Amino acid sequence: CVRYHLRRLFDPVPMAYTLPSDKNPAPDLSVCRARTHECVALCAPDGIVKKDAKKRDEGPVSLWDRPISHVFLLALQRVHTYFEARDEIQAALNEVVDRAGDTPKTITSLSLSEASRRCLSGSGKDRPITDSDLADVLHDVHLAHICLSAARASKFLLSLLQWPGVELSIQNAGGWKEIEATSTILTRYRLDEDFR
């Protein structure tokens, strides 16, 4: 239901399943969609050649070839994952004072496990890594991935929602109330946990 409303707010009306004709013209379904897709679109980064959607052997479809609603949902999932792990992330944060400039700056960073520090420094290069050390390193990588993914997802969501015309298009289509109501029900009854 949430995906349906995201498609309604961000994506254009899909093509008709049947070919329109003089006898059976295609219905105008534009009233059931927001006009957000008219003011914003996903584009490939500079230097990236867009894949031909007809060729299946070129690998998975890139994010910029997907509907905005799909990428929006993926971004929400990344932010949600961050907030689920925030207690663990807060425990792993470490504040360091950088005195390189004129005024000292406090930098917050993830505190790496002893195994990660040993691997990065090269001090343990002559001995094999144990299973528990590997688990610690992979856990550090996992936490860093959660943080970086959530940061990029948040940046995408903010830039999308602040894009000129997007907020007005969403408000003209009824706003967020349907998504908020559905999300509240999913969270209240823990139905969102069924999809993990």
Side-chain angles (χ1 to χ4, degrees):
C1 189
V2 172
R3 285 195 307 242
Y4 163 77
H5 288 293
L6 286 174
R7 285 192 300 267
R8 190 179 61 76
L9 291 179
F10 289 104
D11 300 341
V13 176
M15 292 176 53
Y17 289 112
T18 57
L19 291 174
S21 64
D22 292 336
K23 186 176 180 183
N24 295 315
D28 180 17
L29 300 174
S30 60
V31 295
C32 67
R33 295 287 173 124
R35 301 183 91 65
T36 309
H37 63 278
E38 295 176 3
C39 57
V40 67
L42 297 176
C43 300
D46 292 339
I48 303 286
V49 178
K50 197 170 181 177
K51 293 180 182 178
D52 186 357
K54 295 176 186 171
K55 294 182 181 177
R56 296 189 182 272
D57 59 344
E58 289 190 11
V61 177
S62 304
L63 284 179
W64 49 84
D65 290 329
R66 299 205 179 256
I68 293 176
S69 63
H70 178 79
V71 181
F72 189 92
L73 186 62
L74 289 176
L76 285 178
Q77 288 172 344
R78 297 299 187 269
V79 173
H80 186 262
T81 301
Y82 172 82
F83 280 104
E84 282 185 326
R86 75 174 169 243
D87 292 338
E88 187 177 4
I89 291 168
Q90 287 294 330
L93 290 180
N94 185 19
E95 288 193 351
V96 179
V97 178
D98 179 16
R99 301 184 191 285
D102 295 336
T103 57
K105 297 177 188 173
T106 302
I107 300 171
T108 304
S109 64
L110 283 174
S111 178
L112 297 176
S113 65
E114 182 61 37
S116 291
R117 284 194 295 276
R118 196 169 45 250
C119 288
L120 289 172
S121 70
S123 63
K125 65 181 177 182
D126 294 334
R127 63 176 236 236
I129 188 168
T130 65
D131 288 342
S132 65
D133 283 349
L134 178 61
D136 289 345
V137 170
L138 291 175
H139 184 261
D140 289 345
V141 170
H142 178 69
L143 282 181
H145 181 263
I146 289 173
C147 293
L148 293 172
S149 295
R152 291 188 67 156
S154 299
K155 184 178 177 181
F156 166 76
L157 291 170
L158 286 173
S159 65
L160 175 63
L161 295 175
Q162 293 172 350
W163 194 265
V166 170
E167 184 178 354
L168 180 62
S169 295
I170 290 172
Q171 292 307 318
N172 288 342
W176 296 98
K177 62 184 174 219
E178 296 291 336
I179 293 175
E180 290 171 348
T182 303
S183 299
T184 300
I185 292 169
L186 290 172
T187 304
R188 180 180 300 139
Y189 297 107
R190 298 178 188 246
L191 298 174
D192 58 333
E193 296 175 7
D194 291 344
F195 303 105
R196 290 185 201 154

